[in-house]
Amino acid sequence: MEENKEEKLNQSDSSVADESENVDFEFEPETDSDSGASVDFAEKLKKLKNELKIIKKERQEFLDGWQKERADFANYKKDEIKRNSFYADRAKENILTDFLPALDSFNMAFGNKEAWEKVDKNWRSGVEYIYSQILSTLEGHGVKQFGAVGEIFDPTLHQSVGVEDTDIEEKDGTIAVVNSKGFIVNESILRPAKVIVYSCKTCLSSDTYCTL
């Protein structure tokens, strides 16, 4: 009886030992956490660099556009200032031109010296003073008058309305008579001086340059 018990125990122990030897142990592969983190960081860094590149490109486009708009606006302001100045000058010239006939009347009166000298001295002085005031006011606005006997005829300043013959070659091409003064404002001709010009009869057969 006891022997049978021993045999059974021995058999159970051997079976347990056999089962323990036949057990398969499965090991999960260990993940290299450092390597995985490095790969993930590299991908994120690449992504961030691409995003930064796009942002820089957009920023440059915005900057270029802003600078272009700024330059265009600056040019617009300059053009607007020039345009306003142009129209202001034209309006000023139109107003000043309206005064010229009155000045012509003064110059016509002063030009007839014989008749002018017969006018009462006090009255004459008053008129001359008013005339000088008008000229002074116009000069304050950049207006100057020109055209005098003896000046060399200049087609950009003078308008010839007649010719007076002369035998003196030195007078050829110079102004003999001023019918009406010319006026200039800020280097722009308001009105050319209307003049009669000397013309030398022997001009063409001499070395003197004939203006007309």
Side-chain angles (χ1 to χ4, degrees):
M1 202 89 174
E2 291 179 357
E3 290 180 357
N4 291 333
K5 287 181 179 181
E6 286 184 12
E7 289 179 0
K8 288 181 179 181
L9 289 172
N10 290 332
Q11 288 177 357
S12 63
D13 290 338
S14 62
S15 64
V16 170
D18 292 337
E19 288 176 3
S20 64
E21 289 177 359
N22 294 329
V23 172
D24 293 332
F25 293 96
E26 295 180 2
F27 295 96
E28 293 181 4
E30 295 182 0
T31 302
D32 189 348
S33 59
D34 292 340
S35 176
S38 176
V39 172
D40 187 50
F41 176 76
E43 290 179 353
K44 288 183 177 179
L45 183 61
K46 183 178 180 181
K47 183 178 179 181
L48 289 174
K49 285 183 177 180
N50 290 334
E51 291 177 352
L52 182 61
K53 185 177 180 181
I54 294 172
I55 292 172
K56 285 183 176 180
K57 181 180 179 181
E58 291 178 347
R59 185 198 65 175
Q60 189 62 44
E61 290 175 352
F62 287 134
L63 180 60
D64 292 342
W66 175 77
Q67 289 177 337
K68 182 178 181 300
E69 291 296 328
R70 185 180 180 184
D72 290 343
F73 181 69
N75 292 332
Y76 166 78
K77 286 180 67 177
K78 291 179 181 178
D79 292 341
E80 194 66 16
I81 291 173
K82 289 181 180 178
R83 192 178 298 109
N84 291 337
S85 177
F86 172 81
Y87 287 122
D89 289 342
R90 296 293 82 77
K92 180 179 178 181
E93 289 179 8
N94 291 335
I95 294 172
L96 293 174
T97 301
D98 292 339
F99 282 94
L100 300 187
L103 294 176
D104 289 339
S105 297
F106 279 104
N107 289 322
M108 191 179 298
F110 300 153
N112 190 344
K113 293 184 179 180
E114 184 177 350
W116 185 245
E117 291 295 332
K118 294 179 180 179
V119 175
D120 180 76
K121 184 177 180 180
N122 293 329
W123 191 86
R124 189 172 68 237
S125 298
V127 172
E128 291 173 347
Y129 178 71
I130 293 172
Y131 176 73
S132 65
Q133 281 186 315
I134 295 174
L135 285 183
S136 179
T137 300
L138 291 176
E139 287 176 359
H141 290 278
V143 179
K144 295 179 181 179
Q145 66 175 351
F146 61 89
V149 173
E151 288 181 352
I152 297 176
F153 177 79
D154 184 346
T156 63
L157 298 174
H158 308 113
Q159 178 183 351
S160 176
V161 295
V163 175
E164 185 171 322
D165 294 333
T166 179
D167 294 329
I168 304 174
E169 293 185 0
E170 287 77 7
K171 286 187 176 182
D172 181 53
T174 62
I175 296 173
V177 178
V178 177
N179 285 355
S180 62
K181 294 278 189 178
F183 292 89
I184 187 171
V185 57
N186 299 327
E187 307 305 322
S188 177
I189 304 296
L190 273 179
R191 189 187 71 185
K194 295 181 180 180
V195 299
I196 295 175
V197 185
Y198 279 120
S199 178
C200 181
K201 293 179 180 179
T202 58
C203 176
L204 296 177
S205 61
S206 66
D207 295 332
T208 305
Y209 173 74
C210 184
T211 307
L212 299 178

